[in-house]
Amino acid sequence: MSSQLNRTALPLRLTLWFFGLLTIFPFSLLLLTSVKSQPDLMRGAFVLPDYPHFENYLHAWIDGHFGVYFWNSIFVVVPVVVFSIVLGVLLAFGFAFLSFPGRKALFVVLTIGMMVPAEAFIIPLYYEMRYLGLTNTYAAVILPQIAQSMPFATIFLASAMQQLPDEILEAAILDGASRRHILWHVILPLMVPAMSTLALFLFIWTWNEFLIPLILVNDDAYRTLPLGMLFFQGRYTVNTPVLTAGAVIVIAPLVLAYLIFQRKFIAGLTAGAGK
Amino acid sequence: MKLRSKLDAPVHKNLIYILPGLILYAAFVFGPIVSAVGISLTDWNGLGLPTWVGLQNYAGLFSDERFYLSLKNNAELMVFYCVLPLGLGIGLAAILWNMKPREQLMLRTMLFLPYIMPTAVLGIIWAWLYNPAFGPINQGLRLLGLGSLALPWLGDFTFVLPAVGLVATWYFFGFCMVIFMSGMQRLDPNLFDAARVDGATGLQTFRTVTLPLLLPEIRVVLLLTVIASIKSFDLIFTMTRGGPANATLVPNIYMYQLGFQLNRFGYAAAVAIIGAILIFTVNYAIHRLVRPADEGAN
Amino acid sequence: MSGLQLKDITKSFGTVNVIKGVDLDVKSGEFVVFVGPSGCGKSTLLRMIAGLEDITSGSLEIGGERMNDVDPSKRGIAMVFQSYALYPHMTVRENMGFALRFAGVPKPEIEKQVLDAARILELEPLLDRKPKALSGGQRQRVAIGRAIVRHPKVFLFDEPLSNLDAELRVHMRIELAKLHRKLGATVIYVTHDQVEAMTLADKIVVLRGGIVEQVGAPLDLYDNPANLFVAGFIGSPKMNFLKGVIAGTEAGKALVRLPDFGDVTVPVSVKATGLATGTPVTFGIRPEHFDEAGSASIAVVVDILEHLGGETLVYARAVSGNSDLVTISASHREAGKSGETLTARFSPDKALLFDAEGKRIY
Ligand SMILES: Nc1ncnc2c1ncn2[C@@H]1O[C@H](COP(=O)(O)OP(=O)(O)O)[C@@H](O)[C@H]1O
Ligand SMILES: [Mg+2]
């Protein structure tokens, strides 16, 4: 194997770099445009500005309400991630170790929710929220997303719990630890890697969610970033520099998280692929 | 299992663990799914009481040309959502696999980037890139002296579907590649040594060894991308809203129009349910048809 | 069939030299074993012969032909991997016929070759199974079968038995020896297990740190190790090494004083002359060479006894207490008790001397 390393023919390497540049080209252009002025832009999409117009970001943040959208995204993502993990841990513990009636059936019901896309039940969900008086609140965006992450969180954490070495749990049982003690002081510390991977996934999914806030919120004060971007585009069709600055605000946290946790993210993503 | 019984307790004590999550799930996911099935059997404008119509909505879909169009568009989009990313991903993975670790990491980081992004925002970005007048793509074409190719991409009946589809390809192929890379890491490197000693060329090895052994990854990639294509909404909504003249209409966009613009909620729910059924069918079919190649014969 | 010549072969991975100049002659039909501790470069050397690693410098000839830049499949070699590397998605039949497919052999001929090999290895009933449905030993045989089908001039084995359990390992070892006799092919076999090396080899190549320490027939290496490393590596249990000092010489003998053992002096036969009195040496004596009829002896205190049934291993220290453990193989069970003082006799003819660099003093 080692002798094949470094032996990749140049045309093949160039092909790969071509695709690599193709992927990041739109993002580079986005960054470039976000620091141009309107007149700069008129001179051509690939022309560099005389000096960077960082005020575009200020415009996006304040006039474009991206500041509001950003904080809304935070207010939504944090509780979704936290509660999904807490409830997910409890559910996973239940499915991994406890008995209760209808265990198998309930598991099937959970997996159904993993396959059915939100588009399929958004109509009743919308009316349910209206009935509960929750439309145009953070709860309207938070609650369904916690509920939606239950299947994945449960399956992901339950399989991690089942992979814990039996000896550790047996030792704790022999020591006479109570069940709650075992969950909090034995299992949970060992679950930190799995939970942090899950948190990363949930953060990205929730940050990116579009349909639920699109349907369940129509007050600008509660819109999250992707939605805000859509409505900003509707309001100021041609202010491209500010629009691209907004886009950078939306994706920057994602890119940051990705670059920091890339290994974890890809490992988590590919873990189940070989089975 | 012995362990389980040790941690177990009477049912009423176990319920504390599972009820909070399950109640939330029932209230905001499973309940609505069941209701969606119910609503799809009614005629409902969202205001008054729904009237029971049985399977009439589904019957209506059978003769609804727009619905057929949305399915046809979706099938065409699958080429861009599934076939191209799969082919590109596996080919690029085979190349990348033999490269130096540093270069490998750099390329992987780049190629995977789109997959973490919100597709809605990517849609908006690409709509700008595709803009006929001031979009960078057409500007670039004009700079290259290919002005005649500078089409109004998203406004052209013929090109809008591939134009949207290619964004999906761009979004997925790096992801597919990463999955295939991890699949190759799973394989015994000596297999490739053995194939070299056996006299198989690079391409022959790829065809007769690598490809069959990556079937589990191919299955995962197919599942994820086919389901993503059936679910597709964000990207199309932000780029074309299904237009022009329904050239990019897909079932979920149709569902949105029917429900939230035309207030035909019963009919819209039927479209949504058909979409869910499609996903289940595809899931089942892929699980049945694409099986790991190393399952023992005999 | 054909031999193999390695001339000053080296290999570096980047700046790390892994193989530091290996010369070796392998005769046609010979069973050669590369043995050495793990990480010493055995696999690398084998893979260079196979063509799976580039040769940094030096030349490799198989059957008199320079092979440095020849494709692995054209070198007339076949390789059996430690992990077997069977194609998991192919049946045994397909696995064995895989190479012939690419060599342009017609289908019926492939089938015949595969059947022939399967008959030799008693694999016929398994031909339509996939590797997953085989036991470890069966997989091993398929891997060998895949090599046989190609009728190679040279078989290359990389630790082929190390994934088998102890019993199967012994069984396969015997099978391999039989197979070699039947086919008469040249074999190069890599292992870190000196027992495998001793039992299988016509010729053993002892490697350490990318350098050949000694080449020779198994019993040659046992009787006449060229240095401390080979002396310690070949033979089980290990040879005892005692601190010694030259106390004088007399006709063909060196008088070796053993300071840890009450300065007892042992006359050891050596050809070398001019050994200066006071030269520090290492005195080597194998556990199995302790013998009640011996004319020399050391006094030891028994530490622990291991009863293996047929023999008893006595681990003991010098009475002074400041020597390493000495291993003594005794043929009777009442060899002593823990804590007991024992006079361990041996014949000085069997002892070996090594100089301060670890080289043998002949
Ligand atoms: N591809 C490689 N790159 C760098 N070093 C390697 C590579 N392959 C082997 N080595 C190093 O070469 C030495 C010899 O390895 P190897 O031939 O596998 O040893 P053995 O088979 O005797 O256990 C080891 O120190 C190993 O770390
Ligand atoms: Mg090795």
Side-chain angles (χ1 to χ4, degrees), chain C residues 60-100:
Chain C
L60 164 73
E61 289 177 11
I62 299 177
E65 234 180 292
R66 190 183 151 93
M67 289 289 177
N68 286 43
D69 303 310
V70 177
D71 192 77
S73 61
K74 307 256 156 55
R75 292 189 181 196
I77 52 105
M79 186 150 171
V80 175
F81 297 88
Q82 178 173 359
S83 62
Y84 314 139
L86 299 178
Y87 308 114
H89 56 300
M90 298 182 197
T91 60
V92 169
R93 189 190 303 275
E94 290 163 339
N95 260 288
M96 287 170 66
F98 190 68
L100 301 183

Side-chain angles (χ1 to χ4, degrees), chain C residues 246-315:
Chain C
I246 299 290
T249 49
E250 59 184 44
K253 290 199 194 304
L255 297 175
V256 181
R257 183 165 56 84
L258 303 175
D260 290 343
F261 295 86
D263 282 336
V264 62
T265 326
V266 183
V268 182
S269 319
V270 286
K271 293 196 195 81
T273 50
L275 285 168
T277 301
T279 313
V281 294
T282 303
F283 175 92
I285 178 87
R286 292 195 184 275
E288 55 272 32
H289 290 156
F290 284 95
D291 156 22
E292 272 143 42
S295 60
S297 71
I298 50 175
V300 293
V301 180
V302 176
D303 204 344
I304 284 180
L305 293 174
E306 281 182 357
H307 294 288
L308 302 179
E311 63 173 341
T312 298
L313 294 179
V314 181
Y315 297 95

Side-chain angles (χ1 to χ4, degrees), chain A residues 224-275:
Chain A
T224 52
L225 280 168
L227 257 289
M229 177 129 181
L230 179 75
F231 282 89
F232 176 84
Q233 184 206 26
R235 281 200 305 271
Y236 309 84
T237 4
V238 285
N239 199 342
T240 309
V242 179
L243 180 75
T244 50
V248 173
I249 294 175
V250 184
I251 64 180
L254 293 165
V255 175
L256 208 66
Y258 168 64
L259 291 180
I260 297 173
F261 300 111
Q262 185 183 178
R263 220 168 258 283
K264 201 170 186 48
F265 187 71
I266 288 183
L269 198 76
T270 53
K275 300 206 182 104

Side-chain angles (χ1 to χ4, degrees), chain A residues 2, chain C residues 13 18 37-45 53 158-159 190:
Chain A
S2 45
Chain C
F13 290 110
V18 174
S38 127
C40 70
K42 308 176 297 284
S43 297
T44 305
L45 193 55
E53 301 281 1
D158 192 354
E159 311 229 7
V190 162

Side-chain angles (χ1 to χ4, degrees), chain B residues 58-294:
Chain B
Y58 292 94
L61 282 175
F62 269 104
S63 50
D64 183 344
E65 275 178 28
R66 277 164 66 99
F67 182 62
Y68 278 118
L69 179 65
S70 75
L71 287 179
K72 184 181 128 292
N73 288 339
N74 209 317
E76 281 175 32
L77 277 176
M78 280 190 196
V79 173
F80 298 96
Y81 269 83
C82 320
V83 180
L84 287 178
L86 189 120
L88 271 176
I90 207 164
L92 295 180
I95 303 173
L96 190 59
W97 193 64
N98 283 329
M99 289 169 69
K100 285 180 228 151
R102 276 181 67 105
E103 200 175 357
Q104 210 178 64
L105 183 69
M106 274 166 71
L107 281 162
R108 191 189 72 176
T109 308
M110 287 160 81
L111 289 164
F112 193 77
L113 201 59
Y115 190 73
I116 59 159
M117 305 281 177
T119 38
V121 172
L122 295 180
I124 296 170
I125 294 171
W126 275 91
W128 160 61
L129 294 174
Y130 276 133
N131 187 292
F134 58 83
I137 291 178
N138 281 358
Q139 284 192 37
L141 286 172
R142 287 189 201 105
L143 280 179
L144 293 173
L146 299 169
S148 56
L149 287 181
L151 299 163
W153 300 104
L154 299 182
D156 186 296
F157 299 129
T158 324
F159 289 106
V160 63
L161 194 87
V164 172
L166 280 174
V167 178
T169 307
W170 171 83
Y171 177 75
F172 274 118
F173 80 94
F175 162 78
C176 295
M177 189 196 71
V178 166
I179 299 273
F180 288 126
M181 287 275 291
S182 85
M184 292 181 172
Q185 270 151 15
R186 182 175 55 85
L187 303 179
D188 175 4
N190 282 340
L191 281 177
F192 300 98
D193 293 334
R196 275 180 77 194
V197 172
D198 282 345
T201 62
L203 213 57
Q204 283 166 335
T205 307
F206 181 73
R207 205 167 43 76
T208 56
V209 180
T210 318
L211 209 55
L213 291 178
L214 285 182
L215 274 177
E217 281 75 20
I218 292 178
R219 175 163 82 175
V220 166
V221 160
L222 267 181
L223 269 176
L224 289 171
T225 56
V226 171
I227 289 176
S229 80
I230 299 174
K231 279 164 64 163
S232 61
F233 176 80
D234 305 3
L235 195 64
I236 297 170
F237 187 83
T238 49
M239 287 182 82
T240 64
R241 309 249 157 142
N246 298 329
T248 52
L249 187 76
V250 290
N252 275 335
I253 296 282
Y254 190 36
M255 180 276 294
Y256 178 85
Q257 293 177 349
L258 286 168
F260 296 95
Q261 289 171 355
L262 303 173
N263 292 333
R264 296 178 61 191
F265 285 102
Y267 197 58
V271 174
I273 295 300
I274 295 279
I277 291 173
L278 269 178
I279 288 178
F280 278 98
T281 315
V282 163
N283 203 322
Y284 179 77
I286 291 175
H287 270 290
R288 285 305 299 270
L289 296 178
V290 187
R291 322 194 113 212
D294 57 351

